[in-house]
Short mmCIF file of all heavy atoms in Angstrom, two decimals:
data_model
loop_
_atom_site.label_atom_id
_atom_site.label_comp_id
_atom_site.label_asym_id
_atom_site.label_seq_id
_atom_site.Cartn_x
_atom_site.Cartn_y
_atom_site.Cartn_z
N PHE A 88 113.49 82.93 110.26
CA PHE A 88 114.75 83.43 109.73
C PHE A 88 114.55 84.68 108.88
O PHE A 88 115.37 85.60 108.90
CB PHE A 88 115.46 82.35 108.91
CG PHE A 88 115.92 81.18 109.74
CD1 PHE A 88 115.64 79.89 109.33
CD2 PHE A 88 116.61 81.37 110.92
CE1 PHE A 88 116.05 78.81 110.08
CE2 PHE A 88 117.02 80.29 111.68
CZ PHE A 88 116.75 79.01 111.27
N ILE A 95 117.48 92.59 111.24
CA ILE A 95 118.89 92.96 111.05
C ILE A 95 119.02 94.05 110.00
O ILE A 95 119.78 95.02 110.18
CB ILE A 95 119.72 91.71 110.71
CG1 ILE A 95 119.80 90.79 111.92
CG2 ILE A 95 121.11 92.10 110.22
CD1 ILE A 95 120.39 89.43 111.63
N TYR A 102 121.03 102.53 111.94
CA TYR A 102 122.32 103.05 112.39
C TYR A 102 123.22 103.55 111.26
O TYR A 102 124.19 104.25 111.54
CB TYR A 102 123.04 102.00 113.23
CG TYR A 102 122.36 101.84 114.56
CD1 TYR A 102 121.63 100.71 114.87
CD2 TYR A 102 122.41 102.86 115.51
CE1 TYR A 102 120.98 100.59 116.09
CE2 TYR A 102 121.77 102.74 116.72
CZ TYR A 102 121.07 101.60 117.00
OH TYR A 102 120.42 101.50 118.21
N LEU A 114 111.51 101.37 115.75
CA LEU A 114 110.59 101.63 114.64
C LEU A 114 111.08 101.03 113.32
O LEU A 114 110.35 100.27 112.68
CB LEU A 114 110.34 103.13 114.48
CG LEU A 114 109.41 103.52 113.33
CD1 LEU A 114 108.01 102.98 113.60
CD2 LEU A 114 109.40 105.01 113.14
N ILE A 118 109.63 97.82 111.14
CA ILE A 118 109.21 97.93 109.74
C ILE A 118 109.91 96.85 108.91
O ILE A 118 109.32 96.24 108.02
CB ILE A 118 109.49 99.34 109.19
CG1 ILE A 118 108.59 100.35 109.87
CG2 ILE A 118 109.33 99.39 107.68
CD1 ILE A 118 108.93 101.80 109.56
N ALA A 129 103.72 86.69 100.72
CA ALA A 129 103.20 86.98 99.38
C ALA A 129 103.92 86.15 98.32
O ALA A 129 103.28 85.64 97.38
CB ALA A 129 103.34 88.46 99.08
N GLY A 134 103.77 81.16 94.70
CA GLY A 134 104.24 79.87 94.21
C GLY A 134 105.74 79.65 94.29
O GLY A 134 106.22 78.60 93.86
N ILE A 142 113.34 83.43 96.20
CA ILE A 142 112.48 83.96 97.25
C ILE A 142 113.31 84.68 98.32
O ILE A 142 112.90 85.71 98.84
CB ILE A 142 111.60 82.84 97.87
CG1 ILE A 142 110.50 83.46 98.74
CG2 ILE A 142 112.43 81.85 98.63
CD1 ILE A 142 109.44 82.46 99.17
N LEU A 147 114.86 89.71 100.79
CA LEU A 147 115.86 90.49 101.51
C LEU A 147 116.20 91.80 100.79
O LEU A 147 116.34 92.85 101.44
CB LEU A 147 117.11 89.65 101.74
CG LEU A 147 116.89 88.45 102.69
CD1 LEU A 147 118.17 87.64 102.82
CD2 LEU A 147 116.40 88.91 104.05
N ALA A 151 115.34 95.51 102.24
CA ALA A 151 116.36 96.56 102.34
C ALA A 151 115.89 97.85 101.69
O ALA A 151 116.09 98.94 102.24
CB ALA A 151 117.66 96.08 101.70
N ILE A 153 112.72 98.78 101.23
CA ILE A 153 111.60 99.31 102.01
C ILE A 153 112.09 100.01 103.27
O ILE A 153 111.64 101.12 103.58
CB ILE A 153 110.60 98.19 102.35
CG1 ILE A 153 109.88 97.75 101.07
CG2 ILE A 153 109.60 98.64 103.41
CD1 ILE A 153 109.06 96.48 101.24
N ILE A 161 110.58 108.95 106.94
CA ILE A 161 110.21 109.28 108.32
C ILE A 161 111.12 110.38 108.86
O ILE A 161 110.65 111.32 109.51
CB ILE A 161 110.28 108.02 109.21
CG1 ILE A 161 109.16 107.05 108.85
CG2 ILE A 161 110.20 108.39 110.69
CD1 ILE A 161 109.31 105.69 109.46
N SER A 167 110.98 118.05 109.22
CA SER A 167 110.18 119.16 108.70
C SER A 167 109.08 119.55 109.69
O SER A 167 108.86 120.75 109.94
CB SER A 167 109.56 118.77 107.37
OG SER A 167 108.67 119.74 106.92
N ASP A 170 110.64 121.38 112.64
CA ASP A 170 111.04 122.74 112.26
C ASP A 170 109.83 123.67 112.19
O ASP A 170 109.89 124.82 112.65
CB ASP A 170 111.78 122.74 110.94
CG ASP A 170 113.15 122.09 111.04
OD1 ASP A 170 113.65 121.93 112.17
OD2 ASP A 170 113.70 121.74 109.98
N ALA A 174 109.17 126.87 114.64
CA ALA A 174 108.92 128.20 114.09
C ALA A 174 107.61 128.78 114.62
O ALA A 174 107.54 129.97 114.96
CB ALA A 174 108.89 128.14 112.57
N ASN A 175 106.58 127.96 114.74
CA ASN A 175 105.31 128.44 115.29
C ASN A 175 105.42 128.80 116.76
O ASN A 175 104.81 129.76 117.22
CB ASN A 175 104.21 127.39 115.08
CG ASN A 175 103.73 127.32 113.66
OD1 ASN A 175 103.87 128.27 112.90
ND2 ASN A 175 103.18 126.18 113.30
N GLY A 179 106.05 134.19 118.40
CA GLY A 179 105.63 135.25 119.30
C GLY A 179 106.60 135.50 120.45
O GLY A 179 106.33 136.30 121.32
N ALA A 182 112.74 138.46 121.78
CA ALA A 182 114.21 138.25 121.76
C ALA A 182 114.84 139.06 122.89
O ALA A 182 114.50 140.19 123.13
CB ALA A 182 114.77 138.68 120.42
#
Side-chain angles (χ1 to χ4, degrees):
F88 294 132
I95 291 170
Y102 289 108
L114 179 65
I118 292 171
I142 193 169
L147 295 178
I153 290 169
I161 290 168
S167 173
D170 291 343
N175 285 337

